[in-house]
Amino acid sequence: ETGVTQSPTHLIKTRGQQVTLRCSSQSGHNTVSWYQQALGQGPQFIFQYYREEENGRGNFPPRFSGLQFPNYSSELNVNALELDDSALYLCASSRQGGDGYTFGSGTRLTVV
Amino acid sequence: SQQGEEDPQALSIQEGENATMNCSYKTSINNLQWYRQNSGRGLVHLILIRSNEREKHSGRLRVTLDTSKKSSSLLITASRAADTASYFCAASGGTSYGKLTFGQGTILTVHP
């Protein structure tokens, strides 16, 4: 059984640029959620995807968008990067209706 | 904003001692989960307690849940240096289906 894989592990971008983060879900899981974790804080829910559609969103602006693909992998896109977007971005997969979440190791994004 | 508050923010103990962390949440839940995070990497699921359960054990972990007080506690018995990490509680359910709402976390340091 494979776990959740995120890429890249680290990324440095310039303010105003766009970034795409990737996540492959655990085998058997059909739902993917994304979280942003600022330094010293708990993770904050960005959004969740199920059946290739967004079905829940946290308090994040529209420049945060995502995709889910037929193989349940997912992308997080952030446009017009701001310095405050610097954070660890975590992906979690689960089965719709299930309780268990498996998290990836995260992508550390630094915006300069 | 964070749903939960965790207490204490930091805990420093000696190997062999017990560590207790507390978590409070604000809205109704289906379950409450505890996660561990080493050095800002991915989250590892430790234990889940459902809203109709009051206590649950897993190895050296003991979790309690008091839904009337909207609070939970995590006890790690006979702690080891390898338990050094950040611990987060995450509330699931209520009106936020599919979303985990995390607390701020407790930083646990276990000295050998």
Side-chain angles (χ1 to χ4, degrees), chain A:
Chain A
E1 180 178 276
T2 58
V4 174
T5 304
Q6 290 188 244
S7 63
T9 55
H10 294 85
L11 199 54
I12 300 175
K13 287 286 190 177
T14 303
R15 190 171 47 183
Q17 284 188 316
Q18 178 265 343
V19 68
T20 298
L21 310 182
R22 294 179 174 83
C23 170
S24 63
S25 60
Q26 180 170 307
S27 175
H29 286 181
N30 55 15
T31 301
V32 175
S33 305
W34 286 91
Y35 291 80
Q36 180 195 66
Q37 186 179 20
L39 201 61
Q41 302 292 316
Q44 297 255 18
F45 176 75
I46 303 175
F47 44 53
Q48 176 176 272
Y49 276 81
Y50 171 62
R51 289 185 176 176
E52 302 176 48
E53 290 193 2
E54 184 182 298
N55 75 337
R57 190 178 183 94
N59 189 25
F60 281 82
R63 58 189 186 85
F64 285 78
S65 64
L67 286 172
Q68 186 183 31
F69 301 100
N71 66 353
Y72 307 122
S73 66
S74 176
E75 286 182 355
L76 164 66
N77 299 289
V78 187
N79 294 322
L81 283 166
E82 301 176 359
L83 297 179
D84 284 350
D85 295 333
S86 295
L88 180 68
Y89 288 85
L90 295 162
C91 168
S93 73
S94 61
R95 262 191 288 266
Q96 184 70 359
D99 295 325
Y101 293 80
T102 303
F103 279 82
S105 295
T107 294
R108 173 75 62 189
L109 173 65
T110 302
V111 182
V112 298

Side-chain angles (χ1 to χ4, degrees), chain B residues 17-55:
Chain B
E17 294 181 339
N18 295 341
T20 300
M21 289 160 262
N22 302 297
C23 164
S24 62
Y25 57 91
K26 296 177 183 174
T27 62
S28 62
I29 60 170
N30 291 333
N31 64 69
L32 190 126
Q33 305 177 29
W34 285 87
Y35 288 84
R36 164 194 169 129
Q37 185 176 45
N38 286 81
S39 302
R41 299 304 296 170
L43 295 165
V44 175
H45 181 264
L46 295 176
I47 194 166
L48 178 154
I49 186 165
R50 301 188 189 284
S51 59
N52 61 353
E53 297 176 311
R54 291 298 166 257
E55 187 171 314

